[in-house]
Amino acid sequence: MILVSKMMLRLTAGRVGSLVARRATVALTTNSARMASHEVAQTVDMSQPMYVDRLDTPLPDKPYTDVLTAADKSLKQKEKGPWSQLTQEEKLALYRLAFHQTYSEMKRPSAEWKTVLGGMFIFMGFTGLLVWWQTAYVYPARPRTFDEEWQAKQLQRMLDMKVNPIEGFSAKWDYEKGQWK
Amino acid sequence: MSLAKPVMRGLLGKRLRFHLPIAFALSFVAAIGFKYGVTEPRKQAYADFYKQYDAVKEFTAMKEAGVFESVRPSGE
């Protein structure tokens, strides 16, 4: 793969003759041909009942094992009789014939939360960098209305106009004493 | 032994007969509470404010503070 990528770099540099290009494509095609012959996806007939390990489906549509060995078949025959005659190992073997994973195996904890949290924080950090760049290069100048002095003058003007004098803003200001009530 | 047949009909009616009186009662209580907790005090506050309100005095105070455009403070 490294050889192929080096050839690709030479391709982009433009110093390549058609010979090297052909060698690169040959290398690529042999790789993909080899992969195609090894890994073919298993096709599943979805029109037939399927086995599934799900917490909300305790009894799947069909048992887990399809092909039973002779020992399995004899065990299945014994299962038709009284179950008190089955040993513990036989009961477990019958369970494993019918099911793939137990509930505790299905519910086993995984370390996926670490990946999830890690990915979250990576993206949040990246977003933080973008926001930082944005404050530096995108935002316009700070409006003068945010200055302390301007805000104080604005507040005084609101009190002079007697904004909401009955139950609201100016009602809380003591005009005789010149302070908040 | 066999189980009793579960109730199959009248489920919505039963639920409504139980919940509707409660819903109406609570809404009524909320309305009464709002009326005597909010609107009556507010009406009283407005009445008290305007009992002692001198419009000319307020206008002069605002004029001297300089908030009007049509009439400037007496100093200017």
Side-chain angles (χ1 to χ4, degrees):
Chain A
M1 285 313 285
I2 301 170
L3 189 65
V4 172
S5 60
K6 275 200 182 135
M7 286 175 172
M8 300 297 268
L9 280 170
R10 285 218 207 102
L11 268 167
T12 53
R15 278 195 251 142
V16 176
S18 57
L19 183 70
V20 181
R22 248 187 286 127
R23 276 171 65 202
T25 48
V26 162
L28 273 171
T29 48
T30 47
N31 274 343
S32 57
R34 245 183 278 135
M35 282 201 304
S37 65
H38 264 210
E39 297 157 28
V40 181
Q42 298 274 346
T43 48
V44 179
D45 186 1
M46 296 265 185
S47 63
Q48 298 294 321
M50 294 173 69
Y51 177 81
V52 62
D53 273 320
R54 279 181 65 121
L55 293 174
D56 57 2
T57 315
L59 300 172
D61 298 336
K62 77 175 213 11
Y64 179 58
T65 351
D66 291 324
V67 283
L68 301 171
T69 66
D72 293 338
K73 284 189 184 137
S74 68
L75 191 55
K76 279 286 186 190
Q77 278 300 113
K78 195 175 174 191
E79 194 192 14
K80 291 181 184 172
W83 288 344
S84 49
Q85 291 180 356
L86 293 168
T87 68
Q88 191 60 20
E89 291 83 19
E90 284 172 340
K91 287 179 192 168
L92 285 174
L94 282 167
Y95 182 89
R96 287 294 172 179
L97 284 177
F99 299 99
H100 177 46
Q101 284 183 317
T102 67
Y103 262 80
S104 41
E105 283 165 16
M106 275 193 260
K107 283 158 86 168
R108 72 186 178 282
S110 75
E112 192 189 4
W113 67 273
K114 297 176 198 168
T115 314
V116 170
L117 270 185
M120 270 171 61
F121 290 138
I122 286 170
F123 280 108
M124 287 202 273
F126 181 67
T127 309
L129 286 173
L130 288 179
V131 168
W132 189 12
W133 177 87
Q134 180 186 255
T135 53
Y137 289 97
V138 175
Y139 282 3
R142 201 158 181 265
R144 59 181 171 168
T145 53
F146 282 78
D147 302 336
E148 277 296 320
E149 201 190 301
W150 187 286
Q151 293 266 325
K153 286 200 281 188
Q154 188 171 320
L155 181 61
Q156 183 56 54
R157 194 177 143 82
M158 281 170 73
L159 289 170
D160 292 339
M161 286 195 284
K162 295 201 163 58
V163 170
N164 289 334
I166 304 170
E167 277 193 324
F169 187 73
S170 304
K172 298 185 166 65
W173 177 262
D174 193 342
Y175 280 92
E176 273 99 61
K177 291 188 203 147
Q179 63 185 22
W180 292 108
K181 287 182 187 165
Chain B
M1 69 117 180
S2 55
L3 301 165
K5 183 177 175 181
V7 179
M8 306 290 265
R9 290 156 186 250
L11 296 164
L12 178 64
K14 182 178 167 203
R15 181 189 164 80
L16 287 177
R17 252 174 284 122
F18 180 75
H19 281 95
L20 272 178
I22 295 172
F24 272 93
L26 283 177
S27 311
F28 201 65
V29 166
I32 304 258
F34 192 80
K35 181 183 175 66
Y36 290 106
V38 178
T39 59
E40 288 304 317
R42 184 167 289 164
K43 280 167 28 182
Q44 195 55 43
Y46 272 73
D48 294 338
F49 180 81
Y50 283 110
K51 234 177 248 150
Q52 306 296 330
Y53 189 67
D54 185 0
V56 178
K57 176 164 158 261
E58 297 289 332
F59 169 76
T60 322
M62 283 191 223
K63 170 171 149 281
E64 295 310 320
V67 294
F68 293 125
E69 287 179 11
S70 53
V71 46
R72 298 308 302 163
S74 45
E76 292 170 24

